[in-house]
Amino acid sequence: MKHIFSISLISLFFLISISFQTKAQISNQPLKMPEIGYPWKKSELLEPSVLAGVMQSGKEEIAILNIGAVEDLPGALHIGAVSDERNMTKLRQLLTNLPKHKPVVIYCGCCPFTKCPNIQPAYQELSKNGFTQIKVLDLPTNLQTNWISRGYPIAKKQTNK
């Protein structure tokens, strides 16, 4: 009986010593969060309250580009989801007519930043084309949660008569 107890105790110590020597598992896929692993800087994220204030004041001339499949903000140019090549072509054509120094705000809001197929390609296209004042509307969850539910304005839908 003593012999079995000794073997069990030795086995337990062996297992404990092995567990302290094992290394943590490391994922080869980095966790992406806004401003971490994305092409834009934290300073290029624009809080919804700030954009709503700018829109309300009307003092600053900015281009607001809806590069997703969500509702338009007042004054936004609707490009559509740039993950679709036809809409990316529309974005490229629009950029040829915009001054490079003009402030440009892009937004999608279809889904969280971590899953959005539109924000990064649009940002990269603006950067590649030499735009110097790019802002990404900070919608970490989606347009509904981070804009609409906070009472910020949405463009009125046009009705055909």
Side-chain angles (χ1 to χ4, degrees):
M1 185 74 157
K2 266 185 170 180
H3 183 61
I4 294 173
F5 179 74
S6 296
I7 292 173
S8 297
L9 195 56
I10 291 170
S11 298
L12 178 64
F13 284 125
F14 178 72
L15 290 173
I16 290 172
S17 68
I18 289 174
S19 68
F20 284 119
Q21 294 174 8
T22 59
K23 294 182 180 178
Q25 293 181 349
I26 300 172
S27 172
N28 60 357
Q29 298 296 320
L31 176 63
K32 289 188 174 182
M33 297 177 66
E35 85 264 354
I36 300 174
Y38 286 108
W40 57 82
K41 299 176 194 125
K42 187 175 183 175
S43 62
E44 293 175 307
L45 286 174
L46 182 64
E47 287 299 313
S49 60
V50 173
L51 180 59
V54 168
M55 291 166 65
Q56 186 177 17
S57 75
K59 292 180 182 177
E60 190 175 343
E61 190 178 320
I62 57 174
I64 303 172
L65 307 180
N66 179 351
I67 48 87
V70 295
E71 294 92 337
D72 288 324
L73 304 184
L77 299 170
H78 188 88
I79 305 299
V82 297
S83 56
D84 178 330
E85 189 56 41
R86 292 175 300 200
N87 294 330
M88 180 57 88
T89 299
K90 282 172 51 177
L91 176 63
R92 288 181 182 123
Q93 290 170 346
L94 174 75
L95 296 181
T96 62
N97 297 319
L98 281 179
K100 307 277 189 231
H101 64 278
K102 182 175 184 144
V104 177
V105 177
I106 57 172
Y107 77 96
C108 179
C110 69
C111 58
F113 272 140
T114 56
K115 297 179 181 178
C116 184
N118 301 306
I119 293 290
Q120 286 190 56
Y123 179 91
Q124 289 167 333
E125 192 64 32
L126 284 157
S127 293
K128 183 174 82 175
N129 281 280
F131 284 82
T132 59
Q133 295 189 56
I134 308 166
K135 294 289 183 183
V136 175
L137 186 57
D138 193 6
L139 303 172
T141 306
N142 58 40
L143 185 68
Q144 176 62 43
T145 301
N146 304 117
W147 184 272
I148 297 171
S149 69
R150 293 180 181 173
Y152 299 130
I154 291 295
K156 291 182 177 37
K157 292 185 179 185
Q158 296 179 350
T159 57
N160 294 332
K161 293 184 179 183

